[in-house]
Amino acid sequence: MYQAFYTGALGAGSEMARMSVIANNLSNINNNGFKPKTAVFSDLLNYNLNDSEDAVTELMAGNGIRMQRTYSNFSTDMLARTDAPLDFALVDSNTFFMVEDPATGEITFTRNGHFRKAELEEGFFLTTDSGKIVLDQNGERLEADLPNLERIVAAVSGEEYEEEEEDEDDDEDGEDNSPRIGVYTFSNPSRLTSVGDNEFAPPEGMEPVLVENANVQNGALERSGTDLAKEMVKMIECQRAYSYALKMVTTSDEIVSTINSLR
């Protein structure tokens, strides 16, 4: 009887954790490039009733569930045209912009390409809304002076950028090594950890891989991947499961109280 009580309480707590994930997805429905999280549950130890441990019978009982982890799907969602010169959308799935915190030097990754031109002590740089500096294909900070910005936008748009003087960024083979927005991917993006502000950090030992000729669209943004209809359905399921788990706790408590009163 006490086992039923604790199993119901554990189920209610797990559904509360799931509701927090759903609420986070709904609260970010208007955030560009947001990837909704999915809660993954695992069953706790199951055991057989009136039989040996290895026997498989229909009389099975378990110790409840727990939320094991959450994961995000980094596939490309709907793109919206903005025509803003500093808006960039990643067309390829599992690709990210690399950004750096100017205060701490921490490197994180995001799919939100809503950038702006910001002035720091060292000059003008391309930054995110939260002030993180966008990095180029070499992991260096992208300067946002006027000629450099025009070159960056031209590179993303697939246009040729004509300069009055000879381009000093060309190597001996004639390849253009001028700074451009760096786009990176990972061998296993599901292991990325959310660090807030729609940004992610890789675990220790997992290195980003530069994507050559990445498909980036200028003047557009990737909208949030949250599907309102799906999240509302999940919310209803979560509320029902939570109420059933509490009913199990209440019923177990009533049975124990009745037994104690008969003693």
Side-chain angles (χ1 to χ4, degrees):
M1 199 57 63
Y2 288 105
Q3 185 64 40
F5 180 89
Y6 290 115
T7 299
L10 189 61
S14 298
E15 292 303 327
M16 288 181 62
R18 184 188 180 195
M19 182 63 78
S20 298
V21 175
I22 297 173
N24 180 70
N25 292 340
L26 291 173
S27 64
N28 287 278
I29 195 170
N30 292 321
N31 286 351
N32 297 316
F34 175 77
K35 297 302 174 185
K37 295 178 175 58
T38 301
V40 178
F41 291 87
S42 61
D43 292 329
L44 299 182
L45 181 66
N46 294 320
Y47 60 93
N48 290 282
L49 298 177
N50 303 325
D51 211 323
S52 62
E53 294 183 357
D54 298 331
V56 178
T57 69
E58 296 181 356
L59 298 176
M60 296 286 292
N63 293 311
I65 61 172
R66 69 180 179 91
M67 193 173 76
Q68 184 176 6
R69 64 186 180 90
T70 61
Y71 75 92
S72 299
N73 183 5
F74 295 105
S75 59
T76 304
D77 288 295
M78 182 184 68
L79 304 183
R81 193 73 189 175
T82 64
D83 293 325
L86 297 184
D87 283 349
F88 301 91
L90 293 170
V91 181
D92 299 325
S93 300
N94 299 325
T95 55
F96 305 87
F97 300 111
M98 180 188 286
V99 296
E100 177 188 359
D101 189 336
T104 63
E106 180 185 8
I107 302 297
T108 53
F109 298 84
T110 181
R111 286 186 63 90
N112 184 5
H114 183 54
F115 301 143
R116 60 188 179 90
K117 180 180 178 180
E119 183 179 9
L120 303 178
E121 294 182 357
E122 300 84 357
F124 289 93
F125 293 92
L126 196 64
T127 67
T128 64
D129 288 334
S130 59
K132 304 290 182 67
I133 302 177
V134 183
L135 305 184
D136 64 9
Q137 74 276 19
N138 299 316
E140 302 293 336
R141 297 180 175 182
L142 269 177
E143 297 182 3
D145 53 3
L146 185 58
N148 205 37
L149 271 182
E150 293 176 348
R151 179 188 297 178
I152 292 171
V153 173
V156 171
S157 304
E159 302 174 356
E160 293 185 1
Y161 177 69
E162 296 182 359
E163 293 184 304
E164 297 180 357
E165 301 179 358
E166 183 179 356
D167 192 354
E168 298 179 355
D169 292 321
D170 289 349
D171 59 14
E172 297 179 356
D173 298 330
E175 183 180 353
D176 185 12
N177 289 325
S178 58
R180 64 181 186 273
I181 296 179
V183 178
Y184 296 82
T185 187
F186 294 89
S187 57
N188 190 1
S190 62
R191 295 180 59 196
L192 294 175
T193 303
S194 177
V195 294
D197 290 332
N198 205 6
E199 298 172 6
F200 300 87
E204 186 177 356
M206 190 168 73
E207 298 295 331
V209 179
L210 178 67
V211 179
E212 299 290 347
N213 301 320
N215 194 356
V216 182
Q217 186 172 344
N218 180 235
L221 288 174
E222 181 185 17
R223 294 306 188 191
S224 172
T226 300
D227 188 321
L228 180 59
K230 291 182 178 180
E231 296 301 327
M232 293 303 294
V233 171
K234 291 179 181 179
M235 179 181 294
I236 295 173
E237 293 176 348
C238 186
Q239 290 174 335
R240 294 287 179 85
Y242 179 76
S243 63
Y244 293 154
L246 289 184
K247 185 64 176 177
M248 183 178 179
V249 173
T250 304
T251 303
S252 300
D253 183 63
E254 291 175 352
I255 294 174
V256 171
S257 299
T258 301
I259 294 175
N260 289 334
S261 64
L262 295 176
R263 291 181 179 177

